[in-house]
Amino acid sequence: MGMNKNTILGWATFIMIVMGLLLIALGAFRYRDVSGWGFAAVGIGFLANAWVFSSLKGRV
């Protein structure tokens, strides 16, 4: 089973969504101080990158 560019972008999008949600959850539930805001901000950045990867599927 070969992986083409769209499959790789799909997997990258899925992994980045999972990591983004995990980082947001860490910021919300684990770290209640200022570091929680940092974790949540990085998680939102991961979700934004996943959105870009998802929109590139089929165009690359």
Side-chain angles (χ1 to χ4, degrees):
M1 176 179 127
M3 291 178 65
N4 59 9
K5 289 181 277 189
N6 289 332
T7 307
I8 292 171
L9 280 174
W11 277 107
T13 301
F14 175 72
I15 291 168
M16 290 189 82
I17 287 172
V18 169
M19 285 303 296
L21 292 176
L22 183 88
L23 285 169
I24 290 172
L26 273 174
F29 298 117
R30 176 76 170 111
Y31 298 105
R32 301 256 180 209
D33 295 333
V34 177
S35 60
W37 289 99
F39 273 99
V42 171
I44 291 171
F46 264 84
L47 292 180
N49 259 348
W51 183 26
V52 169
F53 279 3
S54 177
S55 67
L56 284 176
K57 248 179 19 181
R59 290 183 174 86
V60 176

